[in-house]
Amino acid sequence: MTTLADAGVEVCFTNPGTSEMHFVAALDAEPRMRAVLTLFEGVASGAADGYARMAGKPAATLLHLGCGLGNALANLHNARKARSPVLNIVGDHAAYHVKYDAQLQSDIETVARNVSTFVRTSASTATLCQDAAQALTAAIGPPGEVATLILPADVSWSEGGEPAAPPPALAAPEAGDAAIDAVARVLAGEGRTAMLLGGRALRGAALTAAARIAARCGARLLAEVFPARMERGAGLPAIERLAYLAELAGVQLNGLTDLVLVDAKAPVSFFAYPGKRSELLPEGCRVHTLAGFDQDVAASLERLVERLGARDAKPEPQAPARPARPRGKLTAEKACKAIGALLPANAIVVDEAQTAGATLPAFTRGAPRHDLLTLTGGAIGMGLPVAVGAAIACPDRPVIALCGDGSAMYTIQALWTMARERLDVTSVVFNNSAYAILGVELQRVGAEGAGARARAQLDLGRPNLDFVRIGEGMGVPSTRATTAREFTAAFERALATPGPHLIEAVVPNTLSGLRLRLLRRVLNALPSLPQSMAAAVKRRIAP
């Protein structure tokens, strides 16, 4: 415990069992460590991810044996894709007890390797703290990683442990001269170029530097589909996010001759689809890397600014703009419009709204500056837990968690932790009684013969989920909105009142069961999409 606290680990998200009781008891001897109890391991891992994204340093999780780690895997997968530094501490049976194959015995290391770059089972009390320091070194990176330290019970309870020194900070290297010169030549050339930003390139000085480069060279500025953390809003450089739908992303990228990657990967479709390419870039488009995941992105971009003489370039900032408050029957689009109308300055928006949040980027692009955290790994159930971690990392900032009804149910226990810790989180659950996105995907993958039994697998009614009663039962003040006026009023009250709140936004399911051609409705709802691009997409997705 002292080793972790000395190294700056201040928070541990816990769901312990018998094997971890000595770690739990040690909490009272280390006031620098805040322990946050969760009711499900997937909440603990998601909260650690959210904390790391906002704090820029690791939190620990405390998990019970292989089964507990298994329950945490989905959000550890998201953390791995976000390159969030996370340290898992997983209890295990005492070494001499393993041979008995007791009920909870499992191969924890095999489970851990699915998401962890560092996996170690401590063999002795004497080496335990050094193991912890090395696990932290791996987690911190660069890049940030998930590290798992397995702690046998007898190693935990035995005498002879000594704290280890904090691990030294490892400096990330800048891009080399050859990479800087090569990218400079591409951007200054005659081709149609774009820069694709991910990770750390979407924040602060790095984002400003990238915008100067784009303005100087006439390059397009793009953000990855699901950024771990993206600073956006009025006054910041305007940047276009790649679309989730491959049909739309293909049009966004159409005509490019060169793409420069900055802390990002070359774009591919989220899934494979019959008869369609997985690569989204047009044939012949050349890919160049300025700075990778293990490099100093901000410093590399600043060097490129100097190389291109872009210091005085004036990128056009996003103009302040607010949509009007909506009226009438509540729809997902109107709820997003209300959020854009009221979003407070310095907010943290955790977006797992799936289809319901399709119009959110357009309605919040001119809102006051805020951070956006998204579903980096595609494993749903991150919205509420990541909001928990973000709120603990930034207690002075309002957090808004946007979830679909299906994804919220994966980790609904996070509401209890919000209430227990009195976190300033407003959770909006879009209830359309369906896995609506799967209604679209059923058509996109070319699955034929989908009848009543198939549609029933996408239906979340019968019985309907009652998030007001669920939220109240978890200790979170909750309300239901069926009109735009009700939603706007509830959202405004929640923002004005400290502590956790839940708003159940009852919206129609406008996507489930639609044929692909009806995605036009989504495109028509995106006012930021140029008409020429919208027309091209409609032609591309027409049956």
Side-chain angles (χ1 to χ4, degrees):
M1 192 73 72
T2 300
T3 298
L4 297 181
D6 285 349
V9 180
E10 300 175 315
V11 180
C12 182
F13 297 99
T14 77
N15 190 281
T18 303
S19 302
E20 296 76 45
M21 286 298 99
H22 285 82
F23 188 101
V24 170
L27 287 166
D28 285 295
E30 183 46 82
R32 293 176 294 173
M33 181 70 74
R34 177 179 180 180
V36 179
L37 180 62
T38 67
L39 300 183
F40 176 62
E41 295 90 342
V43 175
S45 56
D49 180 17
Y51 178 91
R53 295 194 205 187
M54 294 309 303
K57 63 180 182 178
T61 69
L62 181 63
L63 308 172
H64 185 41
L65 301 167
C67 297
L69 176 60
N71 285 340
L73 280 187
N75 276 326
L76 290 174
H77 165 80
N78 290 327
R80 180 175 70 89
K81 293 293 187 178
R83 298 183 290 281
S84 296
V86 175
L87 173 62
N88 298 314
I89 300 169
V90 184
D92 195 6
H93 289 299
Y96 63 82
H97 194 67
V98 170
K99 64 183 179 181
Y100 298 109
D101 192 24
Q103 283 82 351
L104 275 170
Q105 180 64 39
S106 65
D107 184 350
I108 302 174
E109 289 194 1
T110 295
V111 178
R113 286 192 183 97
N114 286 278
V115 293
S116 310
T117 56
F118 177 100
V119 180
R120 180 174 298 171
T121 300
S122 287
S124 71
T125 307
T127 62
L128 170 60
C129 292
Q130 191 59 47
D131 291 338
Q134 292 178 13
L136 269 176
T137 297
I140 294 169
E145 303 282 2
V146 176
T148 299
L149 179 65
I150 301 166
L151 179 57
D154 54 339
V155 171
S156 185
W157 72 49
S158 297
E159 298 295 331
E162 291 293 335
L170 300 178
E174 299 177 10
D177 291 339
I180 297 288
D181 290 342
V183 170
R185 285 193 297 271
V186 168
L187 291 172
E190 298 298 324
R192 295 183 62 184
T193 59
M195 299 174 67
L196 179 60
L197 311 184
R200 297 154 294 164
L202 292 168
R203 307 203 300 265
L207 179 58
T208 300
R212 286 197 176 106
I213 293 165
R216 169 70 177 79
C217 299
R220 291 176 61 195
L221 207 56
L222 301 170
E224 60 187 349
V225 181
F226 292 111
R229 177 182 171 187
M230 178 179 179
E231 294 182 8
R232 62 193 304 270
L236 289 170
I239 182 168
E240 179 185 347
R241 252 172 85 187
L242 276 181
Y244 162 77
L245 293 175
E247 294 86 354
L248 180 52
V251 173
Q252 289 175 290
L253 298 167
N254 189 41
L256 287 183
T257 59
D258 294 271
L259 181 70
V260 175
L261 303 178
V262 189
D263 206 10
K265 294 170 60 177
V268 297
S269 62
F270 208 74
F271 297 103
Y273 296 96
K276 296 184 180 180
R277 296 173 62 240
S278 294
E279 297 88 353
L280 296 179
L281 289 173
E283 295 278 4
C285 180
R286 296 177 293 269
V287 179
H288 317 268
T289 299
L290 173 66
F293 304 142
D294 59 346
Q295 293 180 291
D296 189 328
V297 173
S300 300
L301 283 165
E302 289 294 342
R303 288 188 61 199
L304 186 57
V305 167
E306 295 298 332
R307 175 70 173 76
L308 290 167
R311 182 65 58 195
D312 296 328
K314 303 292 185 183
E316 185 175 350
Q318 179 63 58
R322 294 274 203 179
R325 296 189 181 204
R327 296 188 177 186
K329 184 175 177 61
L330 186 61
T331 63
E333 181 179 351
K334 289 180 182 179
C336 292
K337 194 173 184 180
I339 292 167
L342 297 171
L343 190 68
N346 213 29
I348 301 169
V349 179
V350 182
D351 182 13
E352 196 189 15
Q354 311 290 14
T355 49
T359 59
L360 182 71
F363 290 132
T364 55
R365 61 187 175 182
R369 290 180 61 160
H370 58 278
D371 280 283
L372 175 69
L373 315 184
T374 72
L375 182 59
T376 52
I380 64 174
M382 57 72 72
L384 298 177
V386 165
V388 167
I392 288 175
C394 303
D396 57 337
R397 299 180 63 177
V399 179
I400 295 100
L402 309 177
C403 304
D405 45 2
S407 59
M409 289 302 296
Y410 275 54
T411 46
I412 198 69
Q413 307 93 330
L415 295 174
W416 182 87
T417 300
M418 292 177 192
R420 179 184 175 97
E421 300 292 328
R422 300 180 181 179
L423 303 179
D424 192 12
V425 178
T426 299
S427 301
V428 177
V429 179
F430 292 92
N431 189 351
N432 59 11
S433 298
Y435 285 125
I437 185 103
L438 296 184
V440 174
E441 295 291 358
L442 188 67
Q443 303 293 328
R444 297 179 75 219
V445 299
E448 298 180 358
R453 292 175 64 186
R455 290 194 299 271
Q457 306 314 302
L458 317 182
D459 177 18
L460 299 183
R462 299 175 298 137
N464 292 323
L465 293 166
D466 187 335
F467 286 96
V468 172
R469 294 175 68 182
I470 293 171
E472 294 285 358
M474 297 272 187
V476 174
S478 304
T479 188
R480 179 177 294 109
T482 60
T483 69
R485 190 184 295 275
E486 288 174 350
F487 180 86
T488 303
F491 191 63
E492 192 167 32
R493 283 196 306 271
L495 294 175
T497 309
H501 300 272
L502 182 144
I503 304 170
E504 180 182 13
V506 180
V507 297
N509 175 18
T510 58
L511 289 177
S512 180
L514 293 181
R515 294 190 179 276
L516 193 57
R517 59 186 171 83
L518 296 186
L519 283 172
R520 297 179 183 185
R521 296 183 186 176
V522 178
L523 299 174
N524 288 335
L526 292 173
S528 63
L529 195 67
Q531 288 186 351
S532 58
M533 186 179 293
V537 175
K538 290 175 185 179
R539 289 193 299 272
R540 180 170 291 206
I541 67 176

